[in-house]
Amino acid sequence: MEVLKEKVEEEEAAEREEAAVRAERGEKMTRPVEVRREEAPMTQEMLRDLEKKLSDIDLAIPEKPSTFTKDTIDISNLPVSYQSNTLKEEHLLQVADNFSRQYNHLCPDRVPLFLHPLNECEVPKFVSTTIRPTLMPYPELYNWDTCAQFVSDFLSMVPLPDPLKPPPYLYSSTTVLKYQKGNCFDYSTLLCSMLLGAGYDAYCVNGYASQDMCQMDLTRDVCPLTLKHQEVVQEKEKVPPKKYTIKPPRDLTSRFEQEQETKKQEETKAEEQRRLREEEEHLLDVEKAKTDPLHGLRVHSWVLVLSGKREVPESFFIDSLTARSYSNQDDHFLGIESLWNHKNYWVNMQDCWNCCKDLVFDLGDPVRWEYLLLGAEKSHLSLTEEEEDALNDDYDVENLGKEDEDKSFDMPSSWVEQIEISPEAFETRCPNGKKVIQYKRAKLEKWAPYLNSNGLVCCLTTYEDLECTETLEIKEWFQNREDMLELKHINKRTGLNIDYFKPGHPQALRMHSYKSMQPEMDRVMEFYDRARVDGLVKREETPKTMTEYYRGRADFLSYRHVNFGDRVKKLALNSAESNPRPMVKITERFDRNPEKPADEDVAERVFLILDERIQLRYHCRDDHITASKREFLRRTEVDSKGNKIVMTPDMCISFEVEPMEHTKKLLYQYEAMMKLRNEEKLSRHQAWESELEVLEILKLREEEEEEHKLTISIYDTKRNEKSKEYREAMERVMHEEHLRQMEAQLDYLAPFLAQLPPNEKMTRWQAMRVKDECLSDFKQRLIDKANLIQARFEKETQELQKKQQWYQENQVTLTAEDEDLYLSYCSQAMFRIRILEQRLNRHKELAPLKYLALEEKLYKDPRLVEFMKVFV
Amino acid sequence: MNRPYNSMEPRVMDEDMLKLAVGEQGPRDEARQLARQEGILFKDVLSLRLDFQNILRIDGLWQFENLRKLQLDNNIIEKIEGLEHLVHLVWLDLSFNNIEAIEGLDTLVNLEDLSLFNNRISKIDSLDGLVKLQVLSLGNNNISHMMNIIYLRQFKDLRTLSLSGNPIAEAEDYKMFICAYLPDLVYLDFRRIDDHMKELAEIKYQYAIDELKQREHLIQVRLEEEQARREELEEHKAAFVEHLNGSFLFDSMYAEDTEGNKLAHLPGVSELLQAYKDKFVIICLNIFEYGLKQQEKRKVELDTFKECVQEAIQENQEQGKHRIAKFEEKHLLNLNAIRDESELSSFEMKIAEYSQDVSELFNVLMTLEMQLVEQLEETINMFERNITDLVALFIENVQSLMAQCRDLENHHHEKLLEIAINTLEKILKGELDEDLPEDARALFVDKDTIVNAVGTSHDLHLLKIDNREDELVTRTNSWCSHLVDTIHKDEITRNRRRVKEINQYIDHMQNELDNLECSEIID
């Protein structure tokens, strides 16, 4: 302990100096620990009051600490390692006590170390041995984030009995998992065990943290789910201008004016920013919590992950209660007393005046971290500062020499049983499958899959205000829905609902955003276009229009826009199906068909149905800037002679980029127009079908919402009824098969063979005798059986006769009850006699057959067959 | 061939007959009125049927240049002719005629369906041009040799074949044979070939077909090699250094040089010649490699240039399109507004406004075009400068290398002269121990003769080198000037076309406007 002493002396010297300096300058003390130490006694009563107040505030936490005390834990079934200490553990405890004594002696102003709290059986256990590194069999638990999330979800938090002290008890992780409750130390121990098992360099930390952190109060944190992923703007790599890139046209604008303009813009921007900042500050002020009088005193436990293993680039903290990761510089963590893993225990000798920001996590450095056991972790020594390195080596050598005798032993293996999580528990996750987390302006609810009948697994409610009264929007996540609904997004302010679907909806729906389920309202439907025959990607509707977007169609249609007119009023019927709205205009756009020349490939066609006008616009040629156009006007007129005019030149106005001869012909135009009219009919029909489809989808959606069936994977053996039945049937069949085999194995020859001298080959004579004996034995058995039945039968008959005699003699004196008794006896006896008679008859019939069957079997018996052959 | 109309006179395919057929087979109902009004041009006809017309000779079909389908069945045609111009033909029916040989079909590369049913054909050939052939009907003909089938292997798309009614179809293994040799065939004689049959046939003729395949494969490989070689040479030619990657030039120098060959027999000359050749070939190889490298450079230069020009034009087009789209949007609104306008004064105002818009559009488009022209001109000039420099550098370096060749030749000449004079002296002194061939010895009569001989050889060599150099230089220069000319010309054409396009569009717009005005005034 000389090292320690020296250090302490140094520290004390430094402190004294510091104190002197401080006294000179009259500065306030900035070390939270020190502040606590000196101020605490003065405000004892205040503290108590505050504690009371705080406990009042903490009403939101449903589980009271008392519910998870030792009384509720059944310790009778715990293994021996839980209930007693081994010799090695005893030794370790002694070492720890020794260490603690020296430490207290050297650093009297620091709180006692958290070394060996009692476990559930009231046995003191060293904290390191409570960690049981375990790799979970679930691939989801291989990474730290999912692991932490699981621990945070799986357990429910119980506050520390005394928020200013480490708990007196530290239960095993198995117990914690069983009851799904624990304080922050239990959380950290479990998480640390799992992380160590997964190969991380993880440590449990005993330290001080902010109030929010200790009470798992997330109401001042923004929910991670509400954070929008900021789209990383990929900066386009500027292509270096090629050698022959043309020079831009000369810029003729005034540079001075430009400058003035930019200046003005910058000014306005700055103004805007200032305003924004002010607003933000204002908001922050409102939101800022009242200062915590116990700031810096609250004990908390979390997990430290050091860089190096599992490709962790930088050390970080994980708050095991909330499963969030923080950098080592975070403001929430106010100080560290000690930390430990399954191998060793380190005490922090660094100053925590600036929270954890200045701490160096180089555990091999004995000046900063005092270790309990020698020999385990030395590789951490940072090799950058060579001088110090050499110095430390010296110390190490000294230490080795002096403390080798009593301290050079490994940490005993953990007393905790293997940590196990059943698949059911893993799936259910949260205690009772439900968990609610309150965030700033948001509430997150989680459920286990299949817990809710509509498949709801997660619900995030966002509020407008801090008090969570005005709902802003609701997001609901679903799982295992038969209609493949994945996420429902309800915006309360605009009333807009958006449903998102996974691939597999019967109508290939991908997204449906609507305000009401009534048809002919504003709505957008997106589809998985690959799953649809018509390649529909999106359909947008407003009360008067419908727009459809297509992709990958053989006819290159990419867009159709339909304008509807007012519905013609009809009496009685007014539903959309019976009385479709008249279409006023249909606009269709096509992609370029590479097989056609551009002048014949229509890019856009507009059917103005009321005007009987059709407008065509063709695609633009590659090296042109103008595109051909054509407009057909259909008028049926009659000429002076009364003949119908089929086509006149003014019925088709066209502009052609390169005038061609054949397109000028009336015949060509006539044919084109006829074709277009057919296509118009087709388009109208398709638009009408689209309308119908919308109705159908809406109906289907309503049905699905009502039914909300859940699918069960065929691999889910627990829930899938069919597979369960099948499996049970299989098992039954197997069982029956087994029984039958057992029966078949009954050996009728065994008793007779046993009589023969062992290990000798049977002679023919012996074989014959065995056979005969077996047969005669069987015959005897059959006869015995027959006799037995006969005897019973006779006995029964006699008894009946006796009874009848008795009845006839006493018939007069009998009471009604006795008579009833007699009658019932008679009928029963008669029944028995009849049964016995039947059995006897049956036996008589079957006996010879059975005998013959046995004889046959014996002839065929493999052990006797060779001897029998001769006689056959 | 007992046809009821056999007694009829053979008819000639004249204008009237064609017109009649076209008219009959033209559009129906209302469209027929229109067709009659306007008349149908032969070149607009896509399909024509001329069956049972007793035609003896195909004639007068050259006008039907867009014909897709032609039926000439049930005539008495004896020779396939006059179909050369119908290159778009897809469907040709010549069944029930008296044709004896397949011919005159080479230009019909689009033909997919050919029927020659019931003719007198005895050999399948002259179909090489019909690469898209899918259906071939040759039933009821005189084909008797099985080897005709192998000819059909080259048609990769052939799926349907009919050969029934030919002597060949009598053969016992006729079906098997065809299935084996034409594995892609699906229908034979109007029946689907079942898979079982195919398998059997494959097994039966496996060896023969493997052999055939091997042969075809060899031919294919040879063709490909030939092709590769040709391409390589083409590439070298593009680099202007063909035949310089070896001793071609050197060999050509000595090919016509009788004196030089004679002198090669002199003692010590063969070693000298060998050393000379080695050095010469090395220089040639240098030129060759340098040429390829320069070619690569020029190509990169040209590609960059083209790419940049293309980009510039593309961008300009996009701008133009954007302008026009914007204008048209406005135009549509304007037009409607003008149509709805009833008051004369505001109508006129709107018309004026509209015409102003049109002229503004014209100005904008033309400005864009002028801008592009200027930009391109600058770029083109730059490219021209660079490419000329490159070519000049190339020529200069090649010339210096060629000069090295000449030096070598001069050096060799001196050496050779020395040896020759020495030999002459030796011969004169009678000291020569080696044997010389008679014709070589004939040169050593006196000094003049030998010097002349050596000189002739030298001159010849120099001439060859000069020729090669000249060829290279001229070709390079002409390539360069041609390239530059083309680029200029292309740019001018592009500009003309664009200006024409803009004018046309603006004219159209103006016309529409005028029409509006007129109609309004009439109203």
Side-chain angles (χ1 to χ4, degrees), chain B residues 257-322:
Chain B
D257 181 11
T258 45
E259 270 82 13
N261 284 331
K262 281 179 203 163
L263 290 168
H265 297 292
L266 292 184
V269 172
S270 62
E271 290 88 51
L272 189 69
L273 208 57
Q274 192 56 45
Y276 173 43
K277 185 178 176 179
D278 288 348
K279 279 183 196 163
F280 194 87
V281 168
I282 287 172
I283 294 178
C284 279
L285 277 177
N286 275 344
I287 297 177
F288 177 73
E289 267 159 33
Y290 180 69
L292 285 189
K293 235 182 264 168
Q294 284 292 313
Q295 160 72 0
E296 194 62 31
K297 254 190 194 169
R298 284 194 296 268
K299 204 171 154 234
V300 169
E301 198 79 7
L302 187 61
D303 285 350
T304 332
F305 168 73
K306 278 189 176 157
E307 202 180 316
C308 289
V309 167
Q310 202 53 45
E311 266 172 27
I313 293 176
Q314 207 69 41
E315 199 185 327
N316 188 275
Q317 271 180 19
E318 285 307 319
Q319 275 181 21
K321 272 186 202 169
H322 179 67

Side-chain angles (χ1 to χ4, degrees), chain A residues 243-244 249 623 626 670, chain B residues 30 38 301 317 371 497 501:
Chain A
K243 200 170 172 185
Y244 294 109
D623 52 349
T626 55
Y670 174 76
Chain B
E30 293 180 332
E38 293 184 315
E301 198 79 7
Q317 271 180 19
Q371 203 178 321
R497 279 230 308 269
E501 190 190 343

Side-chain angles (χ1 to χ4, degrees), chain A residues 242-247 249 620 622-626 629 644 655-657 659 665-667 670, chain B residues 30 34 38-39 301 307-308 311-312 317 324 328 371 375 378-379 382 386 497-498 501 504-505 508:
Chain A
K242 285 174 208 139
K243 200 170 172 185
Y244 294 109
T245 308
I246 52 156
K247 295 193 178 73
C620 199
D622 280 344
D623 52 349
H624 278 66
I625 53 172
T626 55
K629 281 186 294 187
K644 211 167 85 176
F655 163 70
E656 283 174 11
V657 174
K665 290 223 161 189
L666 280 179
L667 180 62
Y670 174 76
Chain B
E30 293 180 332
L34 288 174
E38 293 184 315
E301 198 79 7
E307 202 180 316
C308 289
E311 266 172 27
Q317 271 180 19
I324 288 177
E328 278 195 356
Q371 203 178 321
Q375 288 167 334
E378 201 175 324
T379 310
M382 192 163 84
N386 284 345
R497 279 230 308 269
R498 175 57 42 82
E501 190 190 343
Q504 207 177 331
Y505 185 74
H508 174 77

Side-chain angles (χ1 to χ4, degrees), chain B residues 6-228:
Chain B
N6 242 0
S7 51
M8 271 168 74
E9 282 282 303
R11 282 179 60 185
V12 183
M13 288 174 75
D14 52 10
E15 188 91 13
D16 295 337
M17 181 189 192
L18 292 173
K19 261 193 185 153
L20 192 68
V22 168
E24 269 175 12
Q25 293 158 31
R28 318 228 151 263
D29 305 332
E30 293 180 332
R32 177 167 283 185
Q33 270 184 37
L34 288 174
R36 227 172 260 162
Q37 258 176 32
E38 293 184 315
I40 300 171
L41 286 181
F42 282 171
K43 66 174 183 180
D44 292 339
V45 176
L46 295 181
S47 153
L48 185 62
R49 201 176 68 236
L50 291 167
D51 50 353
F52 300 102
Q53 303 280 358
N54 236 16
I55 296 166
L56 182 61
R57 191 160 175 273
I58 307 169
D59 199 6
L61 287 174
W62 58 272
Q63 287 187 74
F64 293 86
E65 48 193 44
N66 284 313
L67 207 59
R68 299 281 192 275
K69 180 175 172 182
L70 176 61
Q71 280 170 279
L72 283 166
D73 54 312
N74 294 293
N75 286 300
I76 47 171
I77 298 162
E78 288 174 349
K79 190 168 184 283
I80 307 174
E81 60 191 338
L83 300 174
E84 295 83 19
H85 299 286
L86 313 181
V87 286
H88 295 293
L89 215 55
V90 175
W91 213 94
L92 177 60
D93 190 348
L94 285 167
S95 52
F96 298 96
N97 279 297
N98 299 333
I99 298 162
E100 290 185 347
I102 304 174
E103 59 194 328
L105 297 173
D106 296 329
T107 51
L108 309 184
V109 286
N110 287 311
L111 204 63
E112 287 174 7
D113 193 323
L114 174 62
S115 176
L116 290 164
F117 198 80
N118 207 347
N119 279 293
R120 298 170 189 167
I121 295 161
S122 56
K123 189 166 185 291
I124 309 176
D125 64 351
S126 309
L127 290 171
D128 302 82
L130 280 51
V131 285
K132 292 183 182 170
L133 198 64
Q134 288 175 7
V135 181
L136 180 61
S137 172
L138 279 167
N140 282 1
N141 275 296
N142 282 331
I143 300 162
S144 55
H145 207 283
M146 276 293 190
M147 283 309 126
N148 280 312
I149 306 301
I150 293 170
Y151 175 77
L152 295 175
R153 273 176 76 83
Q154 59 176 302
F155 302 107
K156 298 292 172 213
D157 292 333
L158 189 66
R159 295 288 176 272
T160 305
L161 178 67
S162 79
L163 280 170
S164 60
N166 280 300
I168 192 178
E170 313 276 301
E172 200 180 316
D173 52 354
Y174 154 75
K175 266 193 178 173
M176 282 281 190
F177 189 85
I178 290 180
C179 292
Y181 279 89
L182 303 173
D184 289 335
L185 210 61
V186 181
Y187 297 95
L188 176 63
D189 294 337
F190 313 112
R191 280 180 192 219
R192 199 184 158 88
I193 301 169
D194 56 353
D195 294 342
H196 181 63
M197 178 72 140
K198 268 188 190 173
E199 275 169 34
L200 279 183
E202 202 179 317
I203 293 164
K204 191 172 174 188
Y205 288 95
Q206 196 178 8
Y207 293 112
I209 285 177
D210 283 352
E211 210 173 294
L212 193 66
K213 272 187 187 160
Q214 178 64 19
R215 224 177 303 141
E216 283 173 354
H217 179 68
L218 279 179
I219 292 170
Q220 184 69 24
V221 167
R222 210 172 304 143
L223 276 177
E224 273 169 17
E225 274 172 11
E226 187 69 23
Q227 182 71 20

Side-chain angles (χ1 to χ4, degrees), chain A residues 524-525 527 529 534-540 546-551 553 557-561 589:
Chain A
V524 180
M525 285 179 181
F527 298 88
D529 56 299
D534 58 358
L536 182 66
V537 180
K538 193 167 148 187
R539 179 182 288 137
E540 289 173 358
M546 178 164 75
T547 317
E548 291 172 314
Y549 300 86
Y550 295 91
R551 192 185 293 150
R553 278 174 71 109
L557 179 69
S558 65
Y559 169 92
R560 179 186 286 135
H561 180 89
R589 288 187 195 140

Side-chain angles (χ1 to χ4, degrees), chain B residues 385-432:
Chain B
R385 259 196 319 274
N386 284 345
I387 200 83
T388 327
D389 286 355
L390 258 182
V391 166
L393 183 75
F394 172 61
I395 289 174
E396 202 175 295
N397 281 330
V398 167
Q399 272 172 342
S400 79
L401 283 169
M402 282 295 190
Q404 280 182 30
C405 284
R406 244 171 258 135
D407 286 351
L408 268 182
E409 172 59 30
N410 285 336
H411 184 69
H412 176 71
H413 170 65
E414 276 167 25
K415 282 266 176 77
L416 190 63
L417 198 60
E418 204 176 302
I419 291 175
I421 290 170
N422 280 346
T423 319
L424 182 68
E425 277 169 14
K426 273 184 192 167
I427 287 176
L428 288 180
K429 284 177 192 165
E431 286 170 2
L432 192 76

